[in-house]
Amino acid sequence: DLESGITQDVDGTAAKLFVFDAIYGGKTFQQDFQVGSSFGGVFDFLAGVSYIHDDAFQRSLLYGTLFGLPYDGVNRPAQRSEGRQFQITKSYSAFAELYIRPIDRLTLTLGGRYTKDKRDLDTINNQLAVNFNNPGGPLQFEQKASYEKFTPRIVVAYDADEVNLYASYTQGFRAGGVNTPSYAPRDPTDPIRPETMTSYEIGAKYVSPDRRTRASLALFRYDYDDVIVSILNGPTRVVRNSPSARGKGVELDLTHRFSDWLTVSAGGQYLDAKYRSYTNGATYDYRRNAAGDITGIMLVTRDLSGVSLPRAPKWTGYVSANVEAPISDDWIMKLNGVARYTSEYDFVVDRSGVFGADFQKKLTLVNVSGGIGPSSGAYEIGFY
């Protein structure tokens, strides 16, 4: 059960031109049932069903000089451009996996999931909201959307003593929907379509005979279709679809226990994640007058194929050390340090062009924590 609120002056100027004020939240219920076997022979299985019910709401207020509703920075105007949205989401799914061991050390996993999602959005706007955002449009309207998808999964794994080798093929599914806040019924020719993903991965996991050293290596590729993209449209974000994207890379992790009290770990990932086809990408460019002078910024359509996906750093890595040593017969001391590195990445596609939206420069974070306490673990006094 969640409720939250925000008030923001979003026009990017010192003047109170455009203020966005919203209260949003809702209640979510989820229930899962699973059944699995442990026969230990040629066959084992796992199966289950899942149900999610999400009842969400949002009350949006728009005011400021741009709307003819002046705001002094403290007191809201008596009249406001107001919209209310109530959205019910229901998701049903059933899944099953069969584990087959035709020969010693070889395991074949065959699985699949069927998912059906339904969304029902009811919108109520006051006349001020309609006059500004959708002149002549209805004050109240309802939008429905439903999606269903079967997604398979296949894994082949071979246990070669200290090394476990595997290869997997998996599909994923993410439901579409409608944009909110909504001041006009959804254009039926421009829906938010479901996003689908196909994952290919091969890898190896190693454990030394003395169990002190562990390592894992994975090579992966993710192919996305109808990628759900969040773009800036004026002061708000709008969700659309990009035709396709691909992410590929390699990941390595190493852990070694040097002694009973010292363990050191390190790892890293290289990721190349880009839009393969995004010819109708939305980004910002300068607005110019006849003399070529810049007079503002406007949203334009541009081919963003080959542009990096947001929140997808090319390089990430970490190194950590963990100490857990006795300081008396009954007390132990713990100390952990970890340094994580992330290369530069964007928060929105193309940083929204010349708008120069927020992005993350390369970053290293170092965290340290520690504590002391009885070996029984009954309590601990520590810091971080």
Side-chain angles (χ1 to χ4, degrees):
D1 186 1
L2 170 71
E3 184 169 317
S4 187
I6 182 173
T7 299
Q8 185 178 10
D9 181 2
V10 296
D11 55 74
T13 73
K16 300 292 186 280
L17 299 177
F18 190 159
V19 179
F20 177 74
D21 191 337
I23 300 173
Y24 53 90
K27 297 181 179 181
T28 303
F29 171 83
Q30 179 172 351
Q31 181 64 58
D32 296 280
F33 293 101
Q34 295 184 10
V35 58
S37 72
S38 55
F39 300 138
V42 177
F43 296 100
D44 271 307
F45 71 89
L46 177 68
V49 294
S50 179
Y51 171 72
I52 299 174
H53 181 104
D54 182 77
D55 195 347
F57 70 90
Q58 175 169 281
R59 178 192 178 198
S60 306
L61 305 174
L62 307 176
Y63 47 92
T65 308
L66 186 63
F67 296 88
L69 305 170
Y71 174 55
D72 60 11
V74 178
N75 302 302
R76 295 172 177 169
Q79 286 188 307
R80 298 180 291 269
S81 174
E82 180 174 342
R84 296 173 183 260
Q85 289 83 36
F86 307 91
Q87 179 169 271
I88 295 176
T89 299
K90 296 180 181 180
S91 179
Y92 313 83
S93 62
F95 72 92
E97 284 194 341
L98 180 63
Y99 312 109
I100 307 171
R101 291 175 284 272
I103 59 175
D104 190 32
R105 299 176 180 268
L106 180 67
T107 302
L108 176 63
T109 301
L110 301 176
R113 175 187 291 268
Y114 171 78
T115 304
K116 184 166 186 176
D117 293 332
K118 296 181 178 180
R119 287 205 165 110
D120 189 342
L121 178 67
D122 192 11
T123 299
I124 304 172
N125 296 316
N126 69 4
Q127 192 62 56
L128 287 173
V130 172
N131 289 346
F132 186 83
N133 296 282
N134 185 33
L139 294 178
Q140 183 173 357
F141 53 88
E142 187 177 11
Q143 302 177 87
K144 295 179 179 289
S146 62
Y147 313 91
E148 54 186 301
K149 182 75 173 178
F150 174 78
T151 51
R153 171 173 162 80
I154 302 173
V155 184
V156 179
Y158 183 77
D159 184 7
D161 293 325
E162 290 89 359
V163 180
N164 186 281
L165 306 172
Y166 70 91
S168 69
Y169 168 88
T170 307
Q171 285 189 357
F173 165 75
R174 180 181 177 191
V178 294
N179 283 291
T180 57
S182 179
Y183 299 99
R186 180 189 64 184
D187 181 354
T189 65
D190 187 28
I192 302 175
R193 299 181 299 276
E195 175 181 303
T196 59
M197 184 269 289
T198 303
S199 163
Y200 310 87
E201 183 173 334
I202 59 173
K205 298 179 184 294
Y206 168 80
V207 180
S208 64
D210 60 5
R211 318 296 289 180
R212 288 183 175 271
T213 303
R214 296 175 180 269
S216 64
L217 175 67
L219 285 77
F220 57 88
R221 191 181 96 179
Y222 300 150
D223 288 336
Y224 295 89
D225 291 313
D226 287 326
V227 187
I228 295 176
V229 181
S230 175
I231 67 167
L232 292 174
N233 186 6
T236 63
R237 288 177 183 264
V238 175
V239 176
R240 292 181 177 173
N241 290 95
S242 159
S244 64
R246 173 175 292 169
K248 56 185 178 180
V250 58
E251 186 172 22
L252 174 66
D253 289 284
L254 299 168
T255 299
H256 182 70
R257 185 158 55 93
F258 286 91
S259 67
D260 292 341
W261 55 271
L262 175 62
T263 301
V264 176
S265 301
Q269 182 187 82
Y270 169 78
L271 173 65
D272 179 20
K274 296 179 180 179
Y275 292 101
R276 298 181 62 197
S277 174
Y278 196 8
T279 56
N280 62 335
T283 188
Y284 277 97
D285 202 351
Y286 291 119
R287 180 187 290 113
R288 300 177 184 271
N289 59 20
D293 301 321
I294 297 174
T295 60
I297 293 175
M298 60 182 180
L299 192 67
V300 298
T301 298
R302 182 174 294 160
D303 186 353
L304 298 181
S305 304
V307 172
S308 297
L309 270 66
R311 300 180 183 271
K314 181 165 287 189
W315 294 99
T316 56
Y318 75 95
V319 59
S320 70
N322 187 73
V323 174
E324 186 171 330
I327 55 177
S328 70
D329 292 340
D330 299 319
W331 282 65
I332 59 174
M333 177 271 292
K334 298 178 181 179
L335 184 64
N336 176 264
V338 57
R340 297 184 181 275
Y341 169 80
T342 300
S343 63
E344 185 177 285
Y345 62 89
D346 296 342
F347 287 110
V348 293
V349 180
D350 192 40
R351 297 182 193 170
S352 284
V354 297
F355 192 74
D358 290 347
F359 67 96
Q360 178 62 59
K361 294 183 178 180
K362 62 182 180 180
L363 176 71
T364 300
L365 291 176
V366 180
N367 293 322
V368 178
S369 62
I372 60 173
S375 54
S376 65
Y379 63 89
E380 182 177 296
I381 302 170
F383 72 92
Y384 67 90

